[in-house]
């Protein structure tokens, strides 16, 4: 995909539904009693993978575009799938589903694409094993395919070495099937959609600081869910609106849950002209419309507890930092190396190729700006967030940028390039 620079971006848009909430709405709807109606479901490949896995376990799920109806099978109503469950490119599906499956009365095997089969699964295998699960890596390399033999589980108090919502959610979903209370403490708080949604479905869950505790035994009840736009998808348009000259964009209906909205704080710290309008709540999640205008950005320092609150936005932030005045330091973000790709490596290589001054570190990147970016061939390694971040860089660069495997954006944002084009002057 060749992307050319543009002179201006103007207009309004809505972005597709939140990926994390879309996954969880299928998972919880499937094990609830009754019929859940989901509005604004993300039809990206990752969430379709989750839907296919539950259909394979006998759950009736009807989809009409972004409207989805899940006929819940109840906590103990899932059926043994006839085949291996394919999680595609989705870490969220693989990790949370593993927790949910560990305590079932049947065995399963989970796998996915090349990227998934390289991503670390020990982080869920260890706590699940402590709960009494029988889960193993088929190749013995700590990665998928994962072989899960349904077992009797017991609650644990787990102190997680990583701030990861996938790990936390995996353990909490397993906790639904365990004897006694399960609690997870994280080093810093990761996104809390699972906690909010479990509560909304009627589970006995409480949170204090960075600890979430779940007591099993209650049935879950179906509900109506309105999914807000994904802030991780909105990020690309906020970024483009800031670095493309003469731009003004309004991204409507964006989820701004504080455990996800670290990007907004960073943009403000970088001097962005950004405002939140029309604040409201959708199914327990805060939502707003976000307006941005072209801004002279400056460098900032990003680390610590902020990192899990903007982990998926860091490639885009690095792009913005290359156009900002002064130095930006991103640290405490070694997790970037174990995402859909090694995002430290790919962002550094791509931005260097476009003329930026960027250095990879063990746990982040140091970027000195502002650089005059020029077009270059960009390796996305089929990582949707790399492709979209460099599409934004391309709009503010000189000459053509050629993004390889650009269609991978369908993982989280079907129609991304079309929407981008519609806003370019
Ligand atoms: C997600 C959690 C994050 C994030 C991913 C979605 C989730 O991963 O990067 O895109 O829905 O729970 P980690 O839990 O591995 O940090």
């Amino acid at each position: 995909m060749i992307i050319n620079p543009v002179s201006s971006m103007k207009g309004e848009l809505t972005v597709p539904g939140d990926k994390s909430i879309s996954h969880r709405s299928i998972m919880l709807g499937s094990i609830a009693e009754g019929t859940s109606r989901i509005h604004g479901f993300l039809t990206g490949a990752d969430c379709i993978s989750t839907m296919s896995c539950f259909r394979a376990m006998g759950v009736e799920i009807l989809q009409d575009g972004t409207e989805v109806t899940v006929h819940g099978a109840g906590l103990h109503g899932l059926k043994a799938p006839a085949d291996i469950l394919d999680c595609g490119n989705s870490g969220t599906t693989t990790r949370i589903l593993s927790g949910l499956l560990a305590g079932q009365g049947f065995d399963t095997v989970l796998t996915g694409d090349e990227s998934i089969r390289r991503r670390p699964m020990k982080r869920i295998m260890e706590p699940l094993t402590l709960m009494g699960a029988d889960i193993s890596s088929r190749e013995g390399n700590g990665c998928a395919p994962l072989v899960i033999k349904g077992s009797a589980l017991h609650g644990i108090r787990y102190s997680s070495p990583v701030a990861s919502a996938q790990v936390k959610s995996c353990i909490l979903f397993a906790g639904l099937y365990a004897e006694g209370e399960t609690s997870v403490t994280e080093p810093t708080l990761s996104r809390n959609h699972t906690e909010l949604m479990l509560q909304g479905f009627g589970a006995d869950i409480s949170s204090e600081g960075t600890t979430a505790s779940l007591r099993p035994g209650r049935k879950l009840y179906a509900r109506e869910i309105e999914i807000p736009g994904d802030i991780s998808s909105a990020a690309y348009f906020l970024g483009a609106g800031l670095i493309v000259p003469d731009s003004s964009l309004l991204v409507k209906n964006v989820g701004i849950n504080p455990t996800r909205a670290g990007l907004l704080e960073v943009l403000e710290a970088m001097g962005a002209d950004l405002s939140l309008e029309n604040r409201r709540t959708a199914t327990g999640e805060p939502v707003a419309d976000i307006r941005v205008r072209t801004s002279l950005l400056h460098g900032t320092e990003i680390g610590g507890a902020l990192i899990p609150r903007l982990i998926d936005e860091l490639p885009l932030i690095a792009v913005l930092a290359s156009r900002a005045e002064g130095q930006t330091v991103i640290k405490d973000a070694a997790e970037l190396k174990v995402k859909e790709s090694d995002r430290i490596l790919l962002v550094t290589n791509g931005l260097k190729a476009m003329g930026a001054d960027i250095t990879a570190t063990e746990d982040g990147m140091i970027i000195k700006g502002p650089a005059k970016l020029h077009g270059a061939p960009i390796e996305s390694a089929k990582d949707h967030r790399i492709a979209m971040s460099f599409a934004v860089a391309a709009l503010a660069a000189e000459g053509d940028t050629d993004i390889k495997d650009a269609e991978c954006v369908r993982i989280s944002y079907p129609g991304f390039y079309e929407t981008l084009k519609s806003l370019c002057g």
Side-chain angles (χ1 to χ4, degrees), residues 14-98:
T14 53
V15 292
D18 187 278
K19 181 155 81 71
S20 296
I21 300 176
S22 294
H23 281 298
R24 288 157 173 82
S25 64
I26 297 288
M27 294 172 178
L28 286 165
S30 292
I31 56 170
E33 308 280 325
T35 300
S36 290
R37 292 186 205 287
I38 306 168
H39 311 285
F41 180 74
L42 170 63
T43 59
D46 268 11
C47 299
I48 300 296
S49 293
T50 291
M51 198 150 84
S52 308
C53 289
F54 281 91
R55 281 184 173 147
M57 292 188 283
V59 183
E60 193 189 341
I61 306 175
L62 307 173
Q63 188 203 350
D64 180 8
T66 61
E67 299 291 301
V68 175
T69 305
V70 184
H71 295 286
L75 264 179
H76 300 284
L78 297 179
K79 298 196 177 75
D83 211 335
I84 290 174
L85 293 171
D86 183 0
C87 303
N89 188 245
S90 174
T92 307
T93 312
T94 312
R95 295 200 177 111
I96 305 186
L97 202 50
S98 295

Side-chain angles (χ1 to χ4, degrees), residues 18-21 23-24 46 91-92 95-96 119 123 162-169 186 190-191 193-194 232 260 308 311-312 335 338-340 343 384-385:
D18 187 278
K19 181 155 81 71
S20 296
I21 300 176
H23 281 298
R24 288 157 173 82
D46 268 11
T92 307
R95 295 200 177 111
I96 305 186
R119 296 182 66 184
R123 54 180 60 195
V162 277
S164 157
Q166 293 177 358
V167 170
K168 170 173 64 179
S169 306
E186 304 183 88
S190 66
R191 65 192 67 192
H193 305 300
T194 296
S232 301
R260 287 286 297 285
I311 187 76
D312 292 339
E335 275 293 299
V338 291
K339 293 293 177 187
E340 286 83 329
R343 289 181 176 164
H384 54 134
R385 302 215 184 277

Side-chain angles (χ1 to χ4, degrees), residues 285-304:
E285 293 275 352
V287 177
D289 300 343
I290 308 177
R291 188 181 292 280
V292 285
R293 292 191 183 82
T294 310
S295 305
L296 275 178
L297 301 177
H298 50 79
T300 188
E301 202 168 306
I302 306 164

Side-chain angles (χ1 to χ4, degrees), residues 159-164 185-189 210:
S159 189
S160 177
V162 277
S164 157
T185 302
E186 304 183 88
T188 57
L189 191 62
T210 63

